[in-house]
Amino acid sequence: MNSQETNQMKVTNRDFTLVWNGGFSYLTYLKKKSHVTLSNDNLIIRAQNYILGAFPSNPKTSELPLTNIRKVSVGSKLNWFDMVFAILFAIVTLITMSFWPLLLTALFLLRTFNTTISITDSLGNRVNILSGSKGAANQFAEVLTRTVNQCTEAASSNELQTNDLNSPLTPLRESNKKKTIFMISSAAALALLILVVAIFSKGGFDNKYVQWVKEGTAIPGKPYAMQEVLENKEIFSNVEWSQVVRNGNQDDIDKFVKYESTYSDQGVSVHIRSILQVFGPDQFEPVEFSVNGEKHELPDWTLLLVEAADTYERKQPLTETEDPVQKPSASTIQEAPQDNQSTVPTKQTNSQEDAGTVQNTSDISLMNFLIWDTLDEDKEIPLNLDGEKASVVIGSDTPNGINLRVFIDSMETGWRLELPANEDGPFDEFGDLKSGFSLYLKEHDFDNDGTPEVVVAASNQADQTFVWVFGYNFVALEYGTSPLELLMNAEGQSDIYISNNKITLPYGSQGLFEEYTYTNGIFTK
């Protein structure tokens, strides 16, 4: 069953092997070999099917006296199922201008057109032999008719037949244009129907502008593609993406993509709609956002993206490199939740490669922090405070609220870190976290002096985020007091961003933010 068998006919002592290159019949790929032998004035045909092109079925053998053959014809055979898929992928190629549909089109076209050799006996019975090679089929037909004519002449000379013998056989060329047109038309109709159903079920073919937005990673502080988050069935339904025209100019160089869906949260569902202007791959920005037909400020769209991404990532499984942290070592900081917390994928950043170096990492957000909830066990991050190995531990201290302490490895004591906040802060009257809040912990070397500061945050990831930053005070340690002192206490909303020596706290719905810069041991706006 090698590739040469498809295009060649083997002749050995009047033996022929004709191979049909296969096609889809009843949605099962078939291949067929016909071994034909001209022996003892008989035509012996042994046909065998190969399921899926490889698994042979039981062969079928038929025998026909050569003198009984009255007609030999060669005609075209169209594999109808293959034609359907060839037309289907040809249309897809024209729409998407992609390579893979073009390759599939060529593959199915090669299997669409074949050749049939038809042999009819004196009783009108017809035997068909399929071949993938038109040349091989014509050669066999020539040899067969010549042999039949020789046998007929020999029989006539030996008075084995009557005198009303038929005229000598010649291979005929059969053509049924009406049948061919019907098969092509019906295949095209079915291909179009399949395409229409696929388009409607998917919501339309994605052109490059829609694809650029879907694959874009424009959600602040999140690594996910827009499609991953905005098609999350947990909160979005009836999702539709499409390219749209603004200002009525079809040829406008500005391209726009519309996103629509039903957003559901806590039993409330609203219809959201956003228009994004697209400049290139992963380069776009919102120009319009509405909820239930009412226009909203554009920062509300960004806030929605961040909240949707938070919901999405809580459902993601932990990867092998994101195991929950039990007892982190001094060389690696694993930032992942415990098993009894909602699963949140995190990134390992700003790890201490050696005892004296802490690497700065730009564009850090809350997703890069170690996260702790009231149901979690104690968690900790290791520190290197100017040569002193230390750690910050966070956990519950029932009934005294949150227990946030710093430990020096060389000492047998620890110091509690106070988190001052007002009445509207993240803690209740007992010092416990309010419902919806989580604590976030991370070390970051703002001044790149080799001794990191410790950033603590409490956030509901919606409208309240509180931030405290502690710095190392070696003088206080010498006097036996806490080596970490409070350097900054500020408030934002959904997230915080750390880049080099700056902390940015967005707030409001107008894209506003406050920026704090760490210089000479002090944070200033």
Side-chain angles (χ1 to χ4, degrees):
M1 294 186 291
N2 54 42
S3 59
Q4 294 181 345
E5 289 179 329
T6 300
N7 301 315
Q8 297 181 2
M9 178 186 69
K10 298 178 180 179
V11 182
T12 305
N13 298 326
R14 300 165 67 87
D15 287 340
F16 304 84
T17 299
L18 298 169
V19 180
W20 175 44
N21 64 2
F24 286 92
S25 178
Y26 305 105
L27 298 181
T28 301
Y29 177 70
L30 296 176
K31 190 172 186 177
K32 189 169 186 176
K33 276 188 177 182
S34 297
H35 299 276
V36 184
T37 301
L38 299 175
S39 174
N40 298 327
D41 298 331
N42 289 325
L43 176 67
I44 302 173
I45 304 172
R46 183 176 179 270
Q48 189 170 23
N49 290 332
Y50 289 81
I51 308 299
L52 301 179
F55 304 100
S57 62
N58 293 327
K60 294 182 179 180
T61 303
S62 57
E63 188 172 340
L64 180 65
L66 294 175
T67 54
N68 284 358
I69 295 177
R70 293 292 180 265
K71 180 180 177 183
V72 177
S73 60
V74 179
S76 297
K77 173 179 173 56
L78 299 179
N79 297 337
W80 188 77
F81 275 103
D82 298 79
M83 184 183 298
V84 170
F85 289 108
I87 295 174
L88 175 62
F89 287 113
I91 298 173
V92 174
T93 301
L94 292 175
I95 294 175
T96 63
M97 301 303 293
S98 299
F99 171 74
W100 290 112
L102 178 62
L103 182 63
L104 291 172
T105 300
L107 174 64
F108 281 104
L109 277 177
L110 288 175
R111 301 192 178 280
T112 295
F113 300 98
N114 292 276
T115 304
T116 300
I117 305 166
S118 297
I119 303 171
T120 306
D121 64 11
S122 57
L123 299 178
N125 298 319
R126 189 168 181 169
V127 178
N128 292 326
I129 302 175
L130 295 173
S131 174
S133 171
K134 187 175 181 180
N138 288 331
Q139 183 182 355
F140 169 72
E142 291 286 350
V143 173
L144 177 62
T145 53
R146 185 168 59 250
T147 303
V148 169
N149 289 333
Q150 292 173 353
C151 291
T152 302
E153 291 176 2
S156 176
S157 62
N158 293 328
E159 298 181 349
L160 296 178
Q161 292 202 30
T162 61
N163 293 326
D164 58 344
L165 292 172
N166 293 331
S167 59
L169 290 179
T170 57
L172 301 178
R173 301 292 182 268
E174 285 190 346
S175 177
N176 191 332
K177 293 184 178 179
K178 290 184 178 180
K179 182 179 180 181
T180 302
I181 293 173
F182 172 76
M183 291 184 68
I184 294 176
S185 300
S186 59
L190 181 59
L192 287 172
L193 179 61
I194 295 173
L195 188 65
V196 169
V197 172
I199 291 175
F200 276 101
S201 63
K202 184 183 178 183
F205 271 109
D206 292 340
N207 60 30
K208 64 179 181 181
Y209 302 105
V210 174
Q211 200 65 33
W212 287 347
V213 175
K214 283 187 173 184
E215 296 175 353
T217 54
I219 304 175
K222 307 296 180 182
Y224 308 113
M226 296 280 282
Q227 183 177 15
E228 289 183 272
V229 173
L230 292 178
E231 293 185 4
N232 179 14
K233 295 182 180 180
E234 295 286 335
I235 54 178
F236 294 106
S237 59
N238 305 316
V239 176
E240 292 185 10
W241 299 84
S242 60
Q243 184 184 355
V244 294
V245 176
R246 300 190 87 206
N247 305 322
N249 186 1
Q250 292 279 359
D251 299 324
D252 198 322
I253 61 173
D254 296 328
K255 304 301 179 182
F256 301 90
V257 168
K258 179 178 68 175
Y259 169 80
E260 286 187 288
S261 71
T262 300
Y263 174 72
S264 303
D265 184 31
Q266 298 181 359
V268 179
S269 297
V270 295
H271 177 266
I272 62 173
R273 177 178 182 268
S274 180
I275 305 294
L276 301 109
Q277 186 173 2
V278 185
F279 308 102
D282 206 9
Q283 298 178 18
F284 49 88
E285 63 181 21
V287 295
E288 181 183 319
F289 177 54
S290 63
V291 178
N292 286 337
E294 180 181 350
K295 286 191 175 182
H296 280 232
E297 299 292 339
L298 296 181
D300 291 344
W301 166 250
T302 303
L303 182 61
L304 173 68
L305 288 179
V306 174
E307 292 177 347
D310 291 339
T311 301
Y312 173 78
E313 69 183 1
R314 291 191 191 102
K315 301 295 182 181
Q316 302 310 300
L318 290 172
T319 65
E320 293 182 359
T321 60
E322 294 170 338
D323 296 329
V325 177
Q326 301 296 333
K327 294 181 180 180
S329 65
S331 61
T332 305
I333 301 176
Q334 298 282 356
E335 298 169 351
Q338 298 292 332
D339 292 339
N340 57 358
Q341 179 188 350
S342 298
T343 302
V344 182
T346 58
K347 291 171 60 179
Q348 179 180 318
T349 61
N350 204 23
S351 61
Q352 293 174 310
E353 298 293 340
D354 54 59
T357 303
V358 178
Q359 300 173 344
N360 263 342
T361 304
S362 299
D363 301 327
I364 297 171
S365 65
L366 286 180
M367 71 168 292
N368 306 115
F369 281 57
L370 181 112
I371 306 172
W372 181 88
D373 283 335
T374 54
L375 296 179
D376 289 345
E377 298 178 357
D378 291 357
K379 294 185 180 181
E380 66 178 301
I381 60 171
L383 299 173
N384 189 295
L385 301 177
D386 195 21
E388 289 281 358
K389 291 187 177 181
S391 60
V392 175
V393 179
I394 185 171
S396 295
D397 190 17
T398 305
N400 299 317
I402 303 302
N403 182 12
L404 182 63
R405 303 177 69 86
V406 57
F407 294 92
I408 302 295
D409 288 4
S410 61
M411 307 178 71
E412 296 181 357
T413 185
W415 297 270
R416 189 182 184 95
L417 300 180
E418 299 296 335
L419 303 177
N422 55 35
E423 293 182 356
D424 295 329
F427 307 110
D428 58 21
E429 64 271 22
F430 303 106
D432 291 318
L433 280 173
K434 292 180 180 178
S435 177
F437 280 88
S438 298
L439 275 180
Y440 299 80
L441 191 64
K442 182 156 188 66
E443 91 293 353
H444 181 77
D445 193 353
F446 285 92
D447 53 7
N448 200 28
D449 63 353
T451 299
E453 286 69 44
V454 176
V455 184
V456 183
S459 176
N460 60 7
Q461 293 258 320
D463 59 354
Q464 285 186 299
T465 295
F466 301 87
V467 183
W468 304 270
V469 181
F470 294 88
Y472 176 58
N473 186 336
F474 69 93
V475 176
L477 180 60
E478 290 180 357
Y479 282 94
T481 58
S482 174
L484 294 181
E485 64 176 350
L486 185 66
L487 302 178
M488 172 184 163
N489 179 11
E491 181 177 348
Q493 286 197 340
S494 62
D495 208 338
I496 70 173
Y497 302 102
I498 300 175
S499 180
N500 296 322
N501 67 332
K502 299 179 186 297
I503 293 182
T504 302
L505 303 178
Y507 67 91
S509 59
Q510 306 296 324
L512 303 176
F513 61 88
E514 289 183 343
E515 186 176 82
Y516 298 82
T517 302
Y518 186 68
T519 306
N520 298 325
I522 300 175
F523 280 96
T524 57
K525 284 189 179 182

